[in-house]
Amino acid sequence: MTEIWDKIIIHADMDAFFASVEQLDNTDLIGKPVVIGSRSSRGVVSTASYEARVFGVKSAMPMVKALALCPHAIVIPPKMERYKEISSIIMEVFKTFSPSVEAISIDEAFIDMSGSQRIFGTPEQMGKKLKNDVFEATGGLTISVGIASLKFISKIASDMQKPDGLTIVTPENITEFLTPLPVSKLWGAGPKTVEELIKMGFNTFGDIRKAPQKYFSDQFGKKGIHLWSLANGIDERTVTEQGEAKSIGKENTLEKDTNNINEILFYIQKNADNVAHQLRVKFLKAKGVRVKLKTSKFQLLSRQMTLLQPADTSKELFDAAKILLKQFEIKKYKYRLIGITAFDLVEAPKQRELFESPQKVKNRNLDIALDGVLNKFGNGAILRGSNLKVKDNLKYNDKSDD
Ligand code: TTP
Ligand code: MG
């Protein structure tokens, strides 16, 4: 295979991830049916080793049912910290292949290898090297890899020959690959949509391809166009590196509900400090700001805006939030939760001062001074003088939503 592909996208996903880590850490478990989850009557299966899957055990199944299917299963409670550690190792391996890595869960990512054929060789050589490097770096874990010129096809492909699979779909083979696939493989079609499609007589991608696009948009609206496009091998999506941080937010649940504007501003300011700090640490700027209020009756209200310029200082976020607050009918309700989120994140240029007004540089310098204190003593370390009065109303104060 010597042809050069226009785009090469890898999707890589660890095999029976949590269970395989347990087998790696305890060789007595190798070859045995291992089920991760709590044994309690309401416990749910996180995942199962392939030895347990033979009995029908799978993720999200009640533990009681799993043990009925496989009574000799070895049940192990999850060790999240350990799985996260291994996750970082595999993500590091991915980054040695391409700067463009989009992690989509703890054990899987897209890697954009477009234009790398001269360095890494054919897609097959890339896949083999990736599997080998993950195996070596983790001390013996296997990963399944799918490679295609379209994102969603690489995702379907990585699942085709699990465990320890390598599935390559060349651009010429796309139609042949997609035609027999069941509609349940359509990315974005939930169980309800799948049921509807089957009822309408669409069992495979091939069935969908025979229908005109208009039929799908009439039946399902925008989503219909998306599903029809996938079935036809059309997918414009690219690998987005910032996959892990699409937004950064901070919110507080209060001890006592309030609609006092000064109190609300206090929490907004405090959260803006925190969010701006996180943005700067990650060298990101936000193009949008959202304010979120939850009423005493748990109704969630939110307002958002696009900023004139991407921002990463507390003052800029706070100023935007103040404008947004005017759009709520504040006095109409009392609030139990107050939050601010920065979204539409872009990478911040490193030499930003060169292009900024003296006032903006001053804002940033104040924020950077706060960063120093926060880094050294943790997030609770500093409160602005104007904010000290109301801090007692905090129930628990640290919920990030990024
Ligand atoms: P998956 O990649 O979906 O599953 P897996 O790695 O266990 O198995 P496969 O070989 O089919 O990829 O999810 C990764 C981990 O996320 C999984 O090991 C446990 C966890 N998880 C849950 O806790 N609950 C769930 O419902 C699912 C699907 C996964
Ligand atoms: Mg997996």
Side-chain angles (χ1 to χ4, degrees):
M1 203 170 22
T2 48
E3 89 269 26
I4 299 285
W5 296 15
D6 201 21
K7 270 196 331 180
I8 303 175
I9 298 171
I10 294 183
H11 179 262
D13 184 321
M14 300 295 284
D15 301 317
F17 185 44
F18 295 1
S20 303
V21 174
E22 295 298 337
Q23 288 175 323
L24 180 76
D25 290 349
N26 178 0
T27 50
D28 290 347
L29 299 174
I30 293 174
K32 305 227 171 97
V34 174
V35 175
I36 308 298
S38 149
R39 220 178 229 285
S40 76
S41 58
R42 296 178 57 193
V44 172
V45 174
S46 262
T47 194
S49 68
Y50 277 78
E51 294 83 358
R53 292 185 195 195
V54 175
F55 296 89
V57 180
K58 46 185 173 185
S59 291
M61 175 180 273
M63 187 61 79
V64 174
K65 184 166 177 200
L67 288 171
L69 289 169
C70 183
H72 59 297
I74 302 164
V75 180
I76 299 177
K79 300 188 193 80
M80 279 317 291
E81 284 315 307
R82 176 71 178 133
Y83 310 144
K84 281 190 200 157
E85 194 175 275
I86 301 277
S87 176
S88 320
I89 294 173
I90 60 167
M91 297 298 163
E92 285 309 312
V93 171
F94 298 164
K95 284 182 193 147
T96 63
F97 280 71
S98 164
S100 182
V101 173
E102 179 183 348
I104 55 171
S105 84
I106 190 165
D107 79 328
E108 65 182 306
F110 289 105
I111 308 162
D112 190 346
M113 297 296 289
S114 309
S116 301
Q117 248 167 304
R118 278 180 225 293
I119 306 164
F120 284 90
T122 63
E124 189 182 356
Q125 286 165 331
M126 291 173 190
K128 284 188 173 159
K129 178 166 165 51
L130 183 66
K131 288 167 67 63
N132 188 58
D133 287 5
V134 167
F135 190 87
E136 302 245 304
T138 57
L141 294 181
T142 60
I143 191 160
S144 291
V145 171
I147 310 182
S149 53
L150 299 180
K151 204 171 173 182
F152 89 104
I153 296 181
S154 70
K155 170 125 171 105
I156 297 173
S158 72
D159 204 37
M160 295 299 274
Q161 301 187 61
K162 264 184 172 285
D164 205 10
L166 171 59
T167 308
I168 297 168
V169 183
T170 63
E172 309 84 74
N173 285 341
I174 289 180
T175 309
E176 191 188 332
F177 177 79
L178 293 181
T179 303
L181 289 180
V183 289
S184 56
K185 294 270 183 196
L186 283 168
W187 197 2
K192 244 179 89 186
T193 308
V194 169
E195 203 181 304
E196 268 180 82
L197 286 168
I198 292 173
K199 256 195 218 150
M200 291 159 72
F202 299 107
N203 291 296
T204 64
F205 281 45
D207 294 338
I208 295 180
R209 223 181 13 247
K210 287 183 210 140
Q213 192 198 47
K214 184 164 179 337
Y215 179 80
F216 267 77
S217 58
D218 288 349
Q219 293 291 330
F220 297 99
K222 225 171 148 186
K223 186 166 155 196
I225 298 177
H226 169 72
L227 299 177
W228 183 90
S229 302
L230 294 186
N232 280 276
I234 303 164
D235 185 12
E236 303 288 337
R237 285 170 298 185
T238 52
V239 177
T240 45
E241 286 155 51
Q242 300 297 346
E244 340 97 53
K246 289 208 173 65
S247 66
I248 294 178
K250 195 81 182 160
E251 58 190 37
N252 303 119
T253 301
L254 311 182
E255 196 70 71
K256 211 168 132 251
D257 298 355
T258 186
N259 63 3
N260 176 314
I261 187 68
N262 288 330
E263 207 170 337
I264 292 170
L265 285 170
F266 158 76
Y267 293 115
I268 295 277
Q269 169 78 77
K270 181 176 171 347
N271 291 338
D273 283 348
N274 183 295
V275 169
H277 169 69
Q278 289 192 59
L279 285 170
R280 289 189 299 276
V281 171
K282 294 178 181 166
F283 292 102
L284 295 171
K285 285 190 172 204
K287 292 202 287 185
V289 172
R290 179 161 54 239
V291 167
K292 185 161 106 178
L293 299 175
K294 200 187 270 176
T295 69
S296 309
K297 297 200 166 139
F298 289 85
Q299 187 186 0
L300 196 59
L301 309 173
S302 76
R303 294 286 182 276
Q304 66 184 51
M305 69 187 284
T306 301
L307 302 172
L308 288 174
Q309 281 182 352
D312 68 353
T313 68
S314 179
K315 183 170 185 321
E316 289 164 296
L317 302 184
F318 187 52
D319 285 348
K322 279 193 286 190
I323 295 170
L324 291 170
L325 276 176
K326 290 192 180 134
Q327 298 173 20
F328 292 85
E329 293 172 276
I330 290 289
K331 284 291 169 197
K332 199 168 162 191
Y333 307 96
K334 282 202 164 183
Y335 305 95
R336 64 186 320 273
L337 177 143
I338 295 166
I340 179 168
T341 298
F343 63 93
D344 235 344
L345 306 183
V346 290
E347 269 182 54
K350 303 264 156 70
Q351 285 191 323
R352 45 203 164 193
E353 274 84 355
L354 290 176
F355 308 100
E356 289 176 347
S357 69
Q359 184 55 46
K360 219 162 168 194
V361 172
K362 208 169 132 199
N363 292 340
R364 173 159 298 104
N365 287 343
L366 174 62
D367 277 16
I368 288 169
L370 290 179
D371 284 348
V373 180
L374 292 171
N375 278 336
K376 208 158 167 198
F377 301 110
N379 280 345
I382 192 156
L383 281 176
R384 287 164 197 263
S386 60
N387 291 338
L388 287 171
K389 295 186 289 292
V390 266
K391 75 170 185 196
D392 291 342
N393 194 8
L394 278 182
K395 197 192 296 176
Y396 49 88
N397 62 3
D398 279 335
K399 187 165 183 308
S400 300
D401 68 3
D402 55 326

